[in-house]
Amino acid sequence: MAVAGAAALVLGAAQPASAAPRVTLAVAAPTSGTTVHDTTELRFTGSNLATVRVYRLAHLVATATVNADGTAATAQVDTTAFRDGPVVLSALAWGRGSPLPRATAVLLVRVDNAATDQHPAGYRLVYGDEFGGSRLDRDKWCTRYMYDGGTESAAEQATIDPSCLGRDPVTGTTLGTLDTLGGNGTAPGQEAQVYRDVNADGKRMHTVQDGYLSLHATATRLDQPYLRYESAMIRSKREFLPTEQHPLYLTTRVRLPDVVGSWPAFWLAGGYGDGHVRPPWPPEIDILEAPYNKGGNGADVLWTAVQTYYDHDEFPNGPPQGPVRTTYAHPSFDGNAFHADSSIRSRWIEVAAEWTPTSVCWYLDGLKLACKDYRWVANAGPQDTTPATLLLNLAVGGPWAGADGVDATKFPMTYDIDHVRVYRK
């Protein structure tokens, strides 16, 4: 292969071992011949590593992160740029102070992006984002809630994308600038961060690289009493609602932060619809909630839920959604939470929901977790119901996720999203 051969020639011209410490490089994972898809992590071991770059043919496809002592490196390779089938990747390693690569490793993988998620037969893709390129696609996503309010000044709110704003049908009030569910910062709220596009240090809070999106969280408001962190979220501009003839399957592939006090999520809430009502709450479907604390919400726990609320005087026979009833539960599902055999954090997992007008079923890596009867109806009734918008956010702290505090020693942290897809039957 061209790169491997070139590497051999370069290595022959490198400085002798006596002139510099010997550099070694080996592939630790995946093993040769492994089938891979989407964003794939390559792990290397070695000695005296300073820089490791991964090539396919003569094209650079990833630059690895090397640990401080030069003995290990990891690279994220976006395989969606490759055709399905066998692919040879070559890694070249530089030592400190060396202008030329001094070690190489070759890996054969089999790419299969035709079956990268577990959507059921008979469904076709109607919406999605693979997070290619180097920027968040603002034609698809907003970065604030669909509600009004929040902590940002009028000047800050004025910078929000106009296509992300709705109008209250009665007052004409602008909607879509709410930047936290933690209150206005004068009292404790259910979370302890504000959502920003750029944080107080000038860092972009949404970054796209190697075929995935990272939502960042930083400890850059520690002088504040309650809303002490800055973080990121995305909300889909497109809205969705299943019908009896056309149920939906919504899926995302994510890598959760392994940080106590973090609260990554993937969920659905009422959107703008045709604008005749304010976005209602409920309804809400939580496909993934992963609050992390030491008291029952460990690294192996994934929460799911449907939200209902009603006034018993107005609805004496129950909420407009009708009764919520569990129709299936995996043995490791305890009502609203699934307990995996090991940590679901710091590795790629696929979470999904199959959604019909009368039910929701949840999945983790293709494993069915639970199913519930549930109707997507606003609290005030069907007349105020709007389609759902998709939300993915990285919350921090609050009484649930932050029950045991927030491990600020692990900041900044990221919630990584490889893709979001919506299938329709």
Side-chain angles (χ1 to χ4, degrees):
M1 192 184 74
V3 170
L9 293 174
V10 169
L11 293 174
Q15 297 178 16
S18 59
R22 181 170 178 262
V23 176
T24 63
L25 182 70
V27 179
T31 59
S32 182
T34 296
T35 297
V36 299
H37 60 266
D38 289 306
T39 299
T40 298
E41 183 173 89
L42 308 185
R43 297 198 300 273
F44 302 93
T45 57
S47 59
N48 300 310
L49 301 174
T51 302
V52 177
R53 296 177 180 142
V54 182
Y55 294 83
R56 177 177 179 264
L57 300 177
H59 301 286
L60 178 68
V61 295
T63 298
T65 300
V66 180
N67 69 348
D69 63 7
T71 60
T74 59
Q76 308 295 327
V77 176
D78 179 15
T79 70
T80 59
F82 309 150
R83 290 184 179 180
D84 283 2
V87 171
V88 177
L89 301 174
S90 292
L92 296 161
W94 283 255
R96 288 175 175 81
S98 173
L100 300 174
R102 303 186 63 224
T104 186
V106 177
L107 173 66
L108 171 67
V109 294
R110 185 169 297 277
V111 174
D112 180 9
N113 281 315
T116 58
D117 59 47
Q118 305 289 332
H119 69 275
Y123 282 74
R124 65 180 181 86
L125 186 69
V126 295
Y127 175 85
D129 198 337
E130 302 300 314
F131 301 109
S134 59
R135 294 271 182 174
L136 178 66
D137 187 346
R138 300 288 177 147
D139 290 334
K140 291 183 176 180
W141 301 103
C142 301
T143 57
R144 303 291 188 276
Y145 286 110
M146 51 284 189
Y147 314 113
D148 52 341
T151 71
E152 292 178 289
S153 67
E156 289 173 321
Q157 292 189 8
T159 67
I160 300 295
D161 177 357
S163 66
C164 291
L165 305 177
R167 296 283 177 180
D168 181 87
V170 176
T171 66
T173 303
T174 297
L175 305 176
T177 59
L178 184 64
D179 62 339
T180 182
L181 297 180
N184 61 9
T186 62
Q190 61 178 295
E191 52 195 40
Q193 87 298 314
V194 294
Y195 295 115
R196 293 289 184 266
D197 290 353
V198 178
N199 74 1
D201 291 340
K203 175 182 173 59
R204 283 195 295 136
M205 303 301 280
H206 308 81
T207 59
V208 177
Q209 61 286 304
D210 299 323
Y212 65 94
L213 166 71
S214 293
L215 304 181
H216 297 259
T218 57
T220 39
R221 287 171 55 97
L222 296 181
D223 59 333
Q224 300 296 312
Y226 303 111
L227 297 174
R228 295 167 52 82
Y229 307 94
E230 295 180 284
S231 187
M233 68 170 296
I234 56 173
R235 166 174 62 89
S236 67
K237 292 183 177 181
R238 185 165 169 180
E239 298 175 356
F240 304 90
L241 196 64
T243 66
E244 291 185 9
Q245 295 78 20
H246 302 293
L248 300 174
Y249 186 87
L250 310 102
T251 184
T252 187
R253 185 171 183 251
V254 296
R255 184 166 53 189
L256 309 178
D258 191 11
V259 180
V260 169
S262 62
W263 184 0
F266 173 41
W267 52 297
L268 312 176
Y272 293 133
D274 62 7
H276 79 283
V277 296
R278 297 170 72 92
W281 187 92
E284 176 182 328
I285 298 174
D286 300 315
I287 303 174
L288 159 73
E289 288 198 273
Y292 190 8
N293 59 43
K294 300 174 182 177
N297 293 295
D300 61 333
V301 178
L302 180 158
W303 284 80
T304 68
V306 292
Q307 300 291 346
T308 62
Y309 178 82
Y310 64 99
D311 185 314
H312 287 272
D313 293 331
E314 187 175 358
F315 300 105
N317 297 320
Q321 294 93 340
V324 175
R325 182 172 64 96
T326 299
T327 59
Y328 170 79
H330 186 277
S332 297
F333 189 84
D334 65 8
N336 282 315
F338 176 75
H339 298 261
D341 293 335
S342 59
S343 173
I344 61 172
R345 294 177 179 267
S346 294
R347 64 182 179 90
W348 291 109
I349 60 172
E350 187 90 25
V351 292
E354 188 171 18
W355 183 25
T356 79
T358 58
S359 66
V360 186
C361 291
W362 292 269
Y363 298 85
L364 170 63
D365 289 332
L367 175 69
K368 183 185 287 188
L369 307 182
C371 295
K372 292 186 179 183
D373 289 340
Y374 178 72
R375 292 182 180 274
W376 182 266
V377 182
N379 190 56
Q383 73 282 356
D384 283 350
T385 303
T386 63
T389 184
L390 312 182
L391 302 107
L392 294 101
N393 62 287
L394 177 53
V396 181
W400 192 21
D404 297 302
V406 176
D407 186 359
T409 65
K410 292 188 176 180
F411 279 71
M413 63 174 164
T414 64
Y415 173 27
D416 299 326
I417 304 162
D418 190 59
H419 60 239
V420 176
R421 298 172 183 156
V422 179
Y423 293 89
R424 182 172 179 260
K425 193 168 187 179

